C-alpha cells in the first residue's frame, strides 16, 4: 500500500487491545455473549466475502450474456448463482456492478463514509475509509490510481462510482489476456478485492 495510507507499526496491536476491552465490557453488560464476535467473524470468513465476488466475476468472464444481465440487474443475476443465502443483506442491499472495458476504467469510492458491498468484497480495508482517499479519488482519480501502482492512460476514461446506503457498487474487471484456456474455478483465483474496487486490475497467474 502506498505511503499515504500507512499507519504506525503497532496499529493492529493497539486496535486489538481496544476491541478486546470493548468486547469484555459488552459481555459484562449482557449485550453480547463470548460467542457473538466469533459468530460474526465466521460469517464474513466463510459465507460473505470476496470469494463470492470472485465467483460472480469469473462467471461474467466466461458467459457474456451473464455479464450483460449482471450489469443490467445485478441482484437478479447474482440470484442465478449458487451462492450463500443473505447476499442481499448485511451491506449487500442494492448492489450494482459496473464493467471495465478497453475504453473505460471504473473506480469505487464512498465519499460519505465507507458504504461497501460486503457480501462480494468482504470487509472494507482501512484506507477505503480514509478521508484523504475518499476526497482525492473523487477529485483526481487518475493521480490516485497512479499512486496505487495503476497508471491509467489518458486515452481511457475513468468513471468514479460513489457508493451509498442506496447503491453499493463493485467492478467487473477485464479478463486478463492469456487466460482463454483456464477453467472458471481457475479464473476465480485471479480476482482480487482490489480489482473489484478498481484500484487494481486482474492479472494472469
Amino acid at each position: 500500500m502506498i505511503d499515504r495510507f500507512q499507519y504506525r507499526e503497532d496499529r493492529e496491536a493497539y486496535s486489538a487491545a481496544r476491541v478486546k476491552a470493548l468486547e469484555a465490557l459488552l459481555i459484562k453488560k449482557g449485550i453480547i455473549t463470548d460467542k457473538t464476535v466469533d459468530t460474526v467473524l465466521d460469517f464474513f470468513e466463510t459465507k460473505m466475502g470476496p470469494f463470492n465476488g470472485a465467483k460472480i466475476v469469473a462467471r461474467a468472464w466466461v458467459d457474456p450474456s451473464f455479464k450483460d444481465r449482471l450489469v443490467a440487474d445485478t441482484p437478479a443475476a447474482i440470484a442465478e448463482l449458487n451462492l450463500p443465502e443473505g447476499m442481499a443483506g448485511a451491506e449487500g442491499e442494492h448492489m450494482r456492478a459496473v464493467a471495465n472495458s478497453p475504453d473505460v476504467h471504473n473506480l469505487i469510492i464512498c465519499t460519505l463514509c465507507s458504504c461497501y458491498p460486503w457480501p462480494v468484497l468482504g470487509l472494507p480495508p482501512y484506507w477505503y475509509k480514509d478521508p484523504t482517499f475518499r476526497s482525492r479519488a473523487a477529485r483526481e482519480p487518475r493521480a490516485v490510481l497512479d499512486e496505487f501502482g495503476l497508471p491509467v492512460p489518458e486515452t481511457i476514461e475513468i468513471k468514479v462510482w460513489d457508493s451509498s446506503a442506496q447503491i453499493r457498487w463493485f467492478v467487473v474487471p477485464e479478463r486478463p489476456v492469456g487466460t482463454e484456456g483456464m477453467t472458471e474455478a481457475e479464473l476465480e483465483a485471479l480476482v482480487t478485492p482490489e480489482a473489484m474496487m478498481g484500484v487494481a486490475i486482474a492479472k494472469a497467474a
Side-chain angles (χ1 to χ4, degrees):
M1 189 51 59
I2 60 176
D3 291 342
R4 186 181 302 277
F5 303 119
Q6 291 292 346
Y7 287 82
R8 66 190 201 188
E9 292 183 1
D10 64 344
R11 174 181 177 272
E12 295 302 324
Y14 176 73
S15 297
R18 294 181 66 188
V19 169
K20 187 175 181 179
L22 178 59
E23 180 183 0
L25 179 61
L26 292 174
I27 291 173
K28 182 178 179 180
K29 289 183 174 293
I31 297 174
I32 65 173
T33 71
D34 58 349
K35 302 295 183 183
T36 303
V37 174
D38 290 340
T39 299
V40 173
L41 290 176
D42 178 73
F43 182 74
F44 286 105
E45 287 175 354
T46 63
K47 294 182 177 63
M48 298 291 127
F51 38 82
N52 291 327
K55 291 180 182 295
I56 295 167
V57 169
R59 177 62 58 86
W61 283 349
V62 301
D63 186 344
S65 63
F66 174 79
K67 180 180 178 180
D68 291 341
R69 295 195 300 276
L70 181 65
V71 172
D73 189 340
T74 303
I78 290 176
E80 298 176 21
L81 304 181
N82 184 27
L83 295 176
E85 293 184 9
M87 290 297 294
E91 302 298 317
E93 303 91 342
H94 315 299
M95 289 191 296
R96 290 288 306 275
V98 287
N100 285 349
S101 72
D103 302 315
V104 176
H105 181 86
N106 296 285
L107 173 64
I108 305 305
I109 64 172
C110 176
T111 54
L112 180 62
C113 53
S114 58
C115 294
Y116 197 72
W118 294 7
V120 296
L121 295 187
L123 300 178
Y126 63 86
W127 53 262
Y128 183 78
K129 310 171 189 179
D130 190 294
T132 301
F133 170 77
R134 285 157 35 199
S135 60
R136 288 193 60 231
R139 295 196 316 269
E140 46 183 0
R142 201 175 301 273
V144 170
L145 289 175
D146 189 64
E147 293 172 6
F148 270 84
L150 182 60
V152 179
E154 293 289 341
T155 54
I156 296 178
E157 179 185 5
I158 297 177
K159 292 185 177 181
V160 180
W161 303 88
D162 193 0
S163 287
S164 67
Q166 286 69 46
I167 300 178
R168 292 178 171 86
W169 299 95
F170 68 95
V171 175
V172 179
E174 287 193 274
R175 179 172 177 168
V177 176
T179 61
E180 292 76 11
M182 297 180 68
T183 66
E184 194 169 333
E186 290 171 334
L187 290 171
E188 289 175 21
L190 307 182
V191 184
T192 64
E194 291 78 14
M196 291 185 285
M197 296 173 67
V199 296
I201 59 173
K203 298 181 180 178

